[in-house]
Amino acid sequence: MTTAPPLLEASHLSVRFGVGRLTVAALDDVSFTLAPGESLGLVGESGSGKSTVLRAITGLAPLSGGHLMLDGVAVPTPRRMDFFTAVQMVFQDPYASLHPRHTVDQILAEPLAIHRIPDAEARIVAALKEVGLGPSYRFRYPHQLSGGQRQRIAIARALILRPRIVLLDEPTSALDASVQAEILNLLEELRRAFGLAYILVSHDLAVVAHLCERLIVLRQGRMVEETTAAALRDGSVKADYTQAMLAASKGFTRPAPADPAIAPARNI
Amino acid sequence: MTAPLLEVEDLRVRFPLAEGTVEAVRGISFTLGRERLGIVGESGSGKSQTGRAILGLTAKPGEVTASRLVFDGIELMTASPQVRRSLRGSRMTMVMQDPRYSLNPVMTVGQQIIESYRAHAPVSHREAKRAALAMLEDVRITAPDRVMALYPHELSGGMGQRVMIAMMLITGPELLIADEPTSALDVTVRGEVLRILDQLVAERGMGLILISHDLEMVASFCDRVLVMYAGKIVEELASGALGAARHPYTRGLIGCLPKLAGDSHPLPVLTRDPAWAR
């Protein structure tokens, strides 16, 4: 009996930048699997390598060790066209990831042209509808859209090729809280509708717990812990670092006022 | 009862543009003692423009009007530009959002701190350097003499923000306006920067206005929170009393955040009532 291979399998990924004494290990021995329709979170502070994981998957960062399997088949470097019909990415800052001099129509037509997909007209109108924008947005420029609308366009651009995996790099961190809620709802809805698998990078534990069932905590390029959203919710995460992040995300806690008798004198 | 540090009454900020006049701040009033006051709102609610107007940093062609804008007995609206310039930087200062864009990229950290100190105090270079080192130590920078010689691009985000705080506090201001001081930082570093701000404010008896979009962080940090929407204050809350929020906008803002405890799918979405902006 054979079990189906996972949709995406990353084993012992490592990414190094620089040579010799200046080598920086951005990723060091990171392994995970992603099942179809599953959603995996990557959390950690700046510089922990969480975005590098996504860049390594898409081939934007060179792998210096480990390998990637898509549907049980090794992913070649450089990536082939068919890889990108299966895997697409949404970037962090919708103010920077859309071409400022292309209309929404041009932005959405580009992936279709690259992959020689016919019937662009109908696909563009349908893609706009999927992300909750009317056809009136089709001939606007990015500067005529709000942050939330831009992120919807970025999501539409990723989905227009009907990928099975969407890589989300901090998709809501540049947005207001109320707009974040709309985008998170949209992502959940699309995942249900198209059976998408997500890899979500975020520093916001609440956002990750909301969208993902499983998550990986990274620190300085290494995996600290692999845990579940449920463990995050009831506070039963094991690693001290995860506990510290959990405590820090709960807001500011004022330390108890120090006893002036024992506090060291400070010259101000 | 001593007079408050800052009194603001009917503050308005207008931008006359080709498409018509935009009123960014529409008649807000509050007073500030030596306490921590939070101003919360979404992008475009006028919270940063409020901070800038108090300091007199409103960008042209913006116009500021107020029936009262008094800082420690000085009427700012009628004060001459010279008076305002002498206040700005020495008695009232502002910490900006992103250290990467607010520090001079071609000057070392030390030069910048010394420059800002000497612009306001008649001290020798050597004395200013000593004060700068002490100030960097106060914001918990280890090895301040090494950091003094670094350029801004060599600093991490948290370190850059602490350098900014040091630069702003070295003149011993009485009023500090911090505009999103932690939103460019990680959660773990955020706590540290807030603790430093908290301690310095308490030690020096300063008044602090903390401007942020992060309602939960501000409510856990400040003594009082003003919630702004479309250029107006819609609600004032006491510290830690987020649950007591009554205005539908505040409640909606709290509701639409994903929470670790008691998650809801889909998230409730804020529906805006045009009546709130009236």
Side-chain angles (χ1 to χ4, degrees):
Chain A
M1 193 190 108
T2 53
T3 51
L7 181 56
L8 185 76
E9 183 175 6
S11 31
H12 312 290
L13 293 187
S14 72
V15 174
R16 270 184 259 283
F17 294 113
V19 284
R21 201 166 51 83
L22 299 172
T23 303
V24 176
L27 275 191
D28 192 5
D29 194 18
V30 173
S31 307
F32 58 87
T33 61
L34 184 71
E38 193 191 21
S39 153
L40 174 74
L42 295 175
V43 291
E45 53 190 26
S46 324
S48 61
K50 51 192 196 306
S51 295
T52 308
V53 173
L54 300 192
R55 298 179 69 86
I57 293 172
T58 51
L60 290 171
L63 272 184
S64 48
H67 58 272
L68 270 172
M69 311 261 272
L70 183 68
D71 294 320
V73 180
V75 174
T77 304
R79 307 280 180 270
R80 281 204 297 262
M81 290 273 273
D82 58 348
F83 177 81
F84 296 108
T85 53
V87 182
Q88 280 287 315
M89 185 153 167
V90 175
F91 295 90
Q92 175 170 13
D93 188 351
Y95 294 88
S97 65
L98 300 180
H99 196 302
R101 294 179 65 141
H102 282 182
T103 60
V104 168
D105 184 68
Q106 285 171 293
I107 289 167
L108 296 179
E110 197 157 2
L112 296 174
I114 292 170
H115 290 268
R116 302 212 174 92
I117 292 170
D119 205 13
E121 172 93 21
R123 299 247 341 213
I124 290 169
V125 174
L128 281 175
K129 199 171 163 212
E130 278 159 24
V131 295
L133 295 175
S136 64
Y137 288 91
R138 194 171 151 196
F139 296 103
R140 293 202 198 179
Y141 286 97
H143 74 265
Q144 295 169 310
L145 306 173
S146 69
Q149 288 166 347
R150 286 177 202 223
Q151 200 59 300
R152 284 172 193 266
I153 298 296
I155 293 170
R157 176 176 60 183
L159 290 183
I160 203 161
L161 292 176
R162 288 278 169 273
R164 285 173 292 154
I165 303 174
V166 180
L167 310 175
L168 304 161
D169 189 1
E170 304 252 19
T172 60
S173 64
L175 306 174
D176 271 327
S178 59
V179 183
Q180 166 174 290
E182 290 169 20
I183 295 293
L184 290 178
N185 287 344
L186 173 69
L187 287 171
E188 273 203 310
E189 220 173 272
L190 293 169
R191 183 182 161 201
R192 246 195 326 268
F194 300 113
L196 298 171
Y198 286 154
I199 300 182
L200 171 74
V201 162
S202 179
H203 64 272
D204 189 331
L205 292 178
V207 167
V208 171
H210 182 81
L211 218 55
C212 304
E213 301 86 40
R214 274 196 311 134
L215 61 123
I216 290 172
V217 184
L218 290 169
R219 188 186 196 186
Q220 290 171 357
R222 290 166 173 275
M223 286 172 69
V224 173
E225 185 171 11
E226 186 167 356
T227 181
T228 61
L232 209 57
R233 283 182 204 291
D234 60 26
S236 66
V237 287
K238 285 183 218 81
D240 291 343
Y241 180 65
T242 321
Q243 286 284 2
M245 277 190 74
L246 204 53
S249 71
K250 287 198 172 117
F252 181 73
T253 43
R254 190 157 282 123
D259 191 337
I262 48 171
R266 293 171 64 90
N267 50 337
I268 311 157
Chain B
M1 176 79 197
T2 51
L5 185 62
L6 179 75
E7 287 173 74
V8 179
E9 217 177 280
D10 197 28
L11 176 73
R12 289 167 188 276
V13 180
R14 274 188 216 91
F15 290 92
L17 302 173
E19 306 89 88
T21 301
V22 176
E23 213 171 5
V25 179
R26 304 187 303 153
I28 66 167
S29 308
F30 63 92
T31 60
L32 175 80
R34 299 189 185 273
E35 57 177 337
R36 293 167 292 241
L37 175 73
I39 300 183
V40 183
E42 294 192 286
S43 335
S45 60
K47 56 190 193 306
S48 293
Q49 287 303 336
T50 304
R52 288 179 164 269
I54 293 168
L55 275 179
L57 290 176
T58 305
K60 288 209 161 85
E63 298 160 0
V64 180
T65 58
S67 56
R68 248 170 98 74
L69 185 62
V70 180
F71 170 72
D72 195 25
I74 306 163
E75 178 56 70
L76 295 177
M77 290 313 296
T78 54
S80 65
Q82 285 80 8
V83 170
R84 296 207 71 173
R85 195 179 310 142
S86 72
L87 288 174
R88 191 162 51 224
S90 63
R91 295 188 63 196
M92 53 203 312
T93 61
M94 187 159 180
V95 174
M96 302 286 179
Q97 179 164 3
D98 196 330
R100 279 172 302 181
Y101 299 121
S102 320
L103 292 172
N104 185 338
V106 295
M107 269 172 93
T108 64
V109 164
Q111 284 172 334
Q112 294 185 52
I113 300 180
I114 291 168
E115 183 189 46
S116 68
Y117 189 32
R118 293 191 72 192
H120 295 287
V123 293
S124 68
H125 188 273
R126 181 181 298 186
E127 224 172 301
K129 190 172 178 188
R130 201 167 29 234
L133 281 169
M135 195 62 233
L136 284 178
E137 223 161 281
D138 269 5
V139 292
R140 306 290 137 64
I141 281 190
T142 45
D145 40 350
R146 186 182 70 86
V147 174
M148 288 275 278
L150 296 180
Y151 285 92
H153 74 269
E154 298 173 291
L155 304 174
S156 69
M159 228 150 81
Q161 199 54 276
R162 281 182 284 177
V163 166
M164 291 260 294
I165 293 172
M167 192 187 298
M168 293 305 140
L169 292 186
I170 194 163
T171 52
E174 290 147 78
L175 170 65
L176 177 69
I177 300 174
D179 188 0
E180 306 258 14
T182 59
S183 44
L185 306 177
D186 275 324
V187 270
T188 41
V189 186
R190 186 180 79 181
E192 200 179 327
V193 169
L194 286 177
R195 253 187 298 284
I196 291 167
L197 264 184
D198 184 51
Q199 195 185 5
L200 292 173
V201 166
E203 272 174 4
R204 296 169 180 229
M206 292 181 343
L208 172 73
I209 298 181
L210 181 69
I211 297 171
S212 176
H213 66 276
D214 189 337
L215 186 56
E216 291 194 330
M217 183 271 282
V218 170
S220 61
F221 181 80
C222 294
D223 303 313
R224 279 190 302 144
V225 182
L226 305 176
V227 183
M228 281 187 78
Y229 180 76
K232 289 195 162 185
I233 295 174
V234 294
E235 187 159 23
E236 182 180 335
L237 292 166
S239 163
L242 274 189
R246 223 167 290 134
H247 195 278
Y249 175 65
T250 321
R251 297 184 65 93
L253 263 192
I254 300 168
C256 70
L257 288 171
K259 286 170 196 66
L260 278 174
D263 201 11
S264 55
H265 294 260
L267 286 166
V269 177
L270 189 63
T271 38
R272 286 152 210 275
D273 186 343
W276 300 345
R278 232 169 266 148

